[in-house]
Amino acid sequence: MWATATLGERVNYGAGSITANYDGVNKHQTVIEHDVHIGSNCVLIAPVTIGAGGTVGGRAPPSPRTRPPAC
C-alpha cells in the first residue's frame, strides 16, 4: 500500500513545503483537512493530521469579517 497525502477543499499550501511520508522503513499517511493554510518552507512529518481550519507556519489568514469586500 502506498501512503499518500490527502488534501481537503480550499487548502492553501505554501511554496517549498513538503510532506515527508517515508521514515526509511514504512510509509505513513498525511491528512490535511478543509480550509487549512500551510506557510512556505514547512516540512510535515507523517503520520500527521492537520484539522479543519488549521494553520501551520506563517501567519493566519485574515478572518472573513476583516477581508475587504469583493469588487
Side-chain angles (χ1 to χ4, degrees), residues 3 13 17 20 25 27-28 31 34 36-37 41 59 62-63 65 69:
Y13 200 88
S17 295
V25 178
K27 291 191 176 195
H28 301 280
V31 178
H34 304 302
V36 169
H37 297 268
N41 298 321
R59 41 173 248 189
S63 72
R65 287 180 276 163

Side-chain angles (χ1 to χ4, degrees), residues 9-41:
E9 295 177 9
R10 298 171 305 279
V11 170
N12 183 336
Y13 200 88
S17 295
I18 64 168
T19 57
N21 293 340
Y22 184 62
D23 65 8
V25 178
N26 298 303
K27 291 191 176 195
H28 301 280
Q29 182 74 28
T30 297
V31 178
I32 302 169
E33 297 180 352
H34 304 302
D35 300 309
V36 169
H37 297 268
I38 298 174
S40 297
N41 298 321

